[in-house]
């Protein structure tokens, strides 16, 4: 294990994953660009997740979603990425959540992970998605084809 002098109480694993991108943005999100960014010559697997706006919620037709976030959202997604990276299970990772108004088919969340083996890549990718869903202060307002709207993910 390696120790950072100003953090002697917190040992770091010998291999800390690269975090290529960890942010909340209003710009369109590309999971393929994120996958390219996590490429590593030592990795035998690249796993991605792309959460897209679907055209329905239960039995109601959806036309789009507006995502809003708390001002700390960027720092929280960075912390999620750092926490995972420090465990050293993978080579590189990236996670981006979009905010603003999105149409059906647009990506709201992109995650990419590279690892020596597929099992670790799948597991870590899934873990990042679940941590983002659990910890990131992002709220969504779905708009339905009848013109009504509904907020969700509100505490």
């Amino acid at each position: 294990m390696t120790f950072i002098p100003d953090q002697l109480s917190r040992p770091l694993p010998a291999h800390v994953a690269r975090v290529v991108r960890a942010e909340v943005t209003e710009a369109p999100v590309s999971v393929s660009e994120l996958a390219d960014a996590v490429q590593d010559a030592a990795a035998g697997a690249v796993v991605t997740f792309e959460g897209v706006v679907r055209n329905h919620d239960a039995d109601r037709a959806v036309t789009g979603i507006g995502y809003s976030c708390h001002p700390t959202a960027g720092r929280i997604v960075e912390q999620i990425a750092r926490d995972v990276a420090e465990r050293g299970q993978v080579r590189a990772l990236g996670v981006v959540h979009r905010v603003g108004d999105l149409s059906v088919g647009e990506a709201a969340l992109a995650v990419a992970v590279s690892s020596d083996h597929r099992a670790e890549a799948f597991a870590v990718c899934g873990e990042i998605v679940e941590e983002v869903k659990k910890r990131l202060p992002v709220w969504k307002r779905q708009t339905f084809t009848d013109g009504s709207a509904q907020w969700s993910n509100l505490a």
Side-chain angles (χ1 to χ4, degrees):
M1 299 196 131
T2 305
F3 289 90
I4 296 175
D6 62 338
Q7 296 179 349
L8 290 177
S9 64
R10 188 172 186 194
L12 294 176
H15 169 73
V16 175
R18 280 184 302 120
V19 176
V20 300
R21 192 171 169 199
E23 68 179 337
V24 174
T25 182
E26 292 182 5
V29 175
S30 169
V31 75
S32 62
E33 288 176 10
L34 204 55
D36 289 345
V38 301
Q39 291 290 336
D40 188 295
V46 174
V47 171
T48 62
F49 172 80
E50 182 176 29
V52 298
V53 177
R54 64 180 177 263
N55 69 355
H56 68 92
D57 185 16
D59 293 333
R60 298 182 73 186
V62 171
T63 59
I65 295 179
Y67 287 95
S68 301
C69 69
H70 189 272
T72 62
R75 288 195 306 269
I76 291 170
V77 80
E78 289 171 2
Q79 185 62 55
I80 291 167
R82 257 194 322 272
D83 291 348
V84 172
E86 287 179 359
R87 289 201 313 263
Q89 296 174 285
V90 298
R91 295 286 171 170
L93 61 94
V95 55
V96 181
H97 199 297
R98 187 165 171 203
V99 293
D101 294 327
L102 283 72
S103 299
V104 169
E106 288 188 275
L109 174 62
V111 177
V113 175
S114 65
S115 178
D116 292 6
H117 304 285
R118 70 182 176 276
E120 292 87 357
F122 277 114
V124 170
C125 186
E127 179 186 348
I128 293 170
V129 171
E130 293 307 316
E131 284 298 305
V132 166
K133 295 294 279 182
K134 181 170 50 173
R135 293 171 48 190
L136 195 65
V138 171
W139 307 279
K140 66 181 181 180
R141 182 178 184 266
Q142 294 187 110
T143 305
F144 301 102
T145 55
D146 66 4
S148 66
Q150 179 181 28
W151 284 94
S152 60
N153 296 354
L154 298 174

